């Protein structure tokens, strides 16, 4: 994940850099919830936070719970790999 130190080396048109950045954002989302929620639902909540931000995920979960059709679909694909 690009840091402030190496942002000049980050190329938004490079697919490798985009994937690495996306994984970094997901990891940050996961880290935000780790230790605060049950590990059994960490992937679902981290994915929700990746897409909505932590605040948006909290708002969504307060109204709808942790499951979102998109997240279910993504995690299904992950389990098939």
């Amino acid at each position: 994940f690009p840091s402030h130190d190496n942002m000049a080396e980050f190329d938004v048109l490079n697919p490798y850099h985009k994937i690495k950045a996306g994984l970094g954002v997901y990891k940050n989302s996961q880290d935000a919830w780790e230790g605060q929620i049950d590990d059994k639902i960490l992937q679902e909540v981290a994915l929700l936070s990746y897409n909505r931000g932590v605040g948006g995920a909290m708002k969504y979960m307060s109204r709808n719970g942790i499951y979102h059709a998109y997240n279910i679909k993504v995690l299904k694909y992950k389990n098939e790999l």
Side-chain angles (χ1 to χ4, degrees):
F1 186 63
S3 67
H4 290 104
D5 297 334
N6 65 356
M7 279 300 285
E9 299 171 16
F10 182 76
D11 179 3
V12 296
L13 300 177
N14 182 321
Y16 174 79
H17 289 181
K18 286 183 178 185
I19 291 169
K20 193 170 179 181
L23 290 171
V25 172
Y26 177 81
K27 177 72 171 127
N28 288 341
S29 297
Q30 190 176 28
D31 290 349
W33 292 102
E34 206 160 24
Q36 297 184 44
I37 60 169
D38 190 337
D39 285 345
K40 294 178 185 175
I41 60 169
L42 183 58
Q43 284 186 328
E44 289 87 346
V45 175
L47 187 56
L48 197 60
S49 295
Y50 172 83
N51 287 310
R52 295 176 175 264
V54 173
M58 290 174 72
K59 187 175 182 179
Y60 179 87
M61 290 186 297
S62 72
R63 296 178 181 166
N64 305 296
I66 66 166
Y67 296 102
H68 185 275
Y70 173 78
N71 292 359
I72 293 168
K73 189 176 181 180
V74 168
L75 293 171
K76 180 183 172 199
Y77 288 141
K78 176 200 164 272
N79 292 331
E80 290 174 359
L81 294 177

